[in-house]
Amino acid sequence: MASLTLDGLTKSYGDVAVVKSVSLDVRDGEFLVLLGPSGCGKTTTLRMIAGFVPPSGGSIRIGDQDITGLPPWKRNAGLVFQSYALFPHMTVAQNVAFGLEMRKTARSEVAPRVAEALRLVRLDGFGERYPRQLSGGQQQRVALARALVIRPDVLLLDEPLSNLDAKLRLQVRLEIRALQQQTGLTTVMVTHDQEEALTMADRLVVMSDGAVRQLGTQSDLYERPADLFVADFVGRSTMIAGTVTAPGAFRSDGGLVLTCPASAVKGPATIALRPERLTLGPAAHGLDNHVPGAVSFVSYLGAMLDVHVRLNATDHVVVQVPNRSDGLAPAVGDAIEVGWPASACLVFPREAI
C-alpha cells in the first residue's frame, strides 16, 4: 500500500489536449473516484497511471518511486477493466494466477495466493469453473481477485460496474467498498455514475474537458460546488438565469425578484437550487423567497415525487417531496406556492454549462 501522486499530468494527441495538467495527491489507503461525463479525460488519466498510455508531460509517483517511465508490469498496480478481460479458455484459478505467472512468482506461492484472493472476493470453490459458467457479478469478482492477487500498492478500477444490471450494481459496489476498507488498498476508480461515486468514495474528483474542476468530499461537492458545472453535474439542480442587482438581490431573466446570499457578486449570474431545499404549499409563505406557480409535471419515483412547477413563461423549479401514504399529491395544473430560503441559492457567475 502506498500513496499516489500525479503532478502536472498531461496527455495530448497532436494538437488536442485530452488531459490538462492534472495534479492530485491520493492518500495511503484512500478510495478516490474520478467522476465526469464521457470524454472528460478520466479514463485516459487512469490508463496513464496504469502505464497503458504514455503521458505527454508531468509525473506519476507511487509512494516515493517515480513510475512515469515504467512499463505496466513494473508498476505494482492492479487494474480491473470495464469488460473484465477474462480469458475464456482459462479456469477461474488460471485467470487469477495469470499476473503471478507473468511476474515469475515461485510455483509454490501461486496456489495459496490464488486461494487467498478468491476467499477475499467470496469465490471459494469456484477455481475450476470457466468464465462462461459464471454470472456477471461473479466474473467481476474474478477480475477483482486477479487484480488483488499480485498484492498491488494501488488498485485501479475502470468503470467496473457498468456491465451489471441496476440491482447487482448496488450489491457489488457495496462489496467493493467493504473489500477496499478491509484491505486498506489505495484505490482510484473511474465512473460517470454519480450514485456510485457518492456511495463509494472517500473523496471525489470532478473532471471536465481534461481538467479537474473540483476535488473534495461528497458534502463539499454537493453543498459547496466550486462552479456551475459541478453544481449541475453532482446531484440535481434547477437553474435560474438572471442578474445579481445588489447585495442579496437577484432578478431573473423572466422577471422574478429573489433574495440570495449577500455574498453573491454583482452582475450576470445563475442560481442553482437543489430540489430537496424547496418547499411547497402554505409553509412556503414564511421563507425568504415565495413565488406562486402551477404544477406542470409530476414524476413518480417510489418513495419520492419530483414536482415540476412553472413560475412564469421562462422560469421553473423542480421540488422533491415525500410520497405521502394518504395518496394526496400535487396534480398537473394545480396552483401552488413554492418557497426557499436565501441560503438555498447557490449563485455563480453566468457561464455555459
Side-chain angles (χ1 to χ4, degrees):
M1 291 177 291
S3 59
L4 172 69
T5 303
L6 312 183
D7 187 6
L9 200 62
T10 300
K11 181 62 184 177
S12 298
Y13 293 98
D15 294 333
V16 180
V18 294
V19 176
K20 304 171 182 175
S21 193
V22 169
S23 295
L24 295 171
D25 287 306
V26 188
R27 303 160 185 157
D28 187 359
E30 182 175 35
F31 197 125
L32 187 83
V33 174
L34 304 181
L35 175 67
S38 298
C40 72
K42 58 188 185 296
T43 296
T44 302
T45 300
L46 192 81
R47 290 180 176 269
M48 284 193 282
I49 298 170
F52 294 115
V53 174
S56 304
S59 65
I60 306 166
R61 294 196 310 278
I62 293 180
D64 295 328
Q65 183 186 14
D66 189 325
I67 64 165
T68 312
L70 295 181
W73 58 90
K74 290 191 175 180
R75 306 177 184 212
N76 198 27
L79 176 62
V80 177
F81 295 93
Q82 182 175 353
S83 62
Y84 314 145
L86 301 179
F87 298 110
H89 62 287
M90 290 184 179
T91 65
V92 165
Q94 289 169 336
N95 267 283
V96 175
F98 183 78
L100 296 176
E101 292 169 356
M102 290 299 98
R103 287 165 172 77
K104 303 191 185 304
T105 304
R107 278 182 171 274
S108 59
E109 284 189 45
V110 172
R113 284 178 63 173
V114 168
E116 176 192 23
L118 290 176
R119 276 196 302 273
L120 273 174
V121 298
R122 298 187 296 107
L123 286 178
D124 315 59
F126 283 70
E128 297 308 309
R129 298 193 191 186
Y130 287 87
R132 65 179 177 273
Q133 297 172 309
L134 304 178
S135 68
Q138 290 167 337
Q139 290 183 42
Q140 195 274 346
R141 281 190 260 160
V142 173
L144 190 57
R146 184 175 58 186
L148 294 172
V149 76
I150 64 170
R151 296 173 181 165
D153 292 319
V154 174
L155 178 63
L156 306 174
L157 306 173
D158 183 11
E159 299 270 11
L161 308 179
S162 60
N163 291 330
L164 304 178
D165 62 55
K167 187 172 182 179
L168 194 54
R169 285 174 79 131
L170 174 60
Q171 173 190 333
V172 175
R173 78 185 183 210
L174 295 175
E175 290 177 354
I176 290 177
R177 181 55 168 150
L179 183 61
Q180 185 270 336
Q181 291 175 321
Q182 176 187 343
T183 59
L185 266 174
T186 304
T187 301
V188 179
M189 185 176 85
V190 160
T191 184
H192 64 275
D193 187 299
Q194 290 183 40
E195 192 171 331
E196 275 178 23
L198 292 169
T199 55
M200 296 176 75
D202 291 312
R203 289 189 301 160
L204 302 95
V205 178
V206 176
M207 294 184 67
S208 171
D209 193 28
V212 172
R213 302 295 287 253
Q214 188 172 357
L215 164 65
T217 64
Q218 291 88 331
S219 61
D220 290 335
L221 271 60
Y222 191 82
E223 304 291 346
R224 297 171 292 280
D227 56 32
L228 192 59
F229 176 85
V230 177
D232 184 57
F233 190 78
V234 178
R236 294 184 303 141
S237 297
T238 299
M239 305 298 178
I240 298 179
T243 303
V244 177
T245 56
F250 179 90
R251 184 180 181 85
S252 78
D253 291 347
L256 294 178
V257 177
L258 303 174
T259 301
C260 66
S263 58
V265 177
K266 189 175 179 179
T270 300
I271 283 178
L273 294 170
R274 300 296 194 191
E276 72 280 2
R277 296 294 307 276
L278 279 64
T279 300
L280 288 177
H285 194 71
L287 298 173
D288 299 320
N289 297 293
H290 45 91
V291 184
V295 177
S296 59
F297 188 72
V298 178
S299 297
Y300 182 90
L301 304 174
M304 305 298 292
L305 301 174
D306 276 356
V307 182
H308 299 244
V309 181
R310 175 67 59 188
L311 304 179
N312 55 35
T314 303
D315 302 313
H316 78 283
V317 292
V318 179
V319 187
Q320 189 173 77
V321 298
N323 185 5
R324 292 170 48 173
S325 58
D326 58 16
L328 296 176
V332 173
D334 284 355
I336 200 163
E337 191 166 32
V338 185
W340 61 92
S343 60
C345 298
L346 302 171
V347 187
F348 303 97
R350 187 87 67 96
E351 64 174 276
I353 300 175

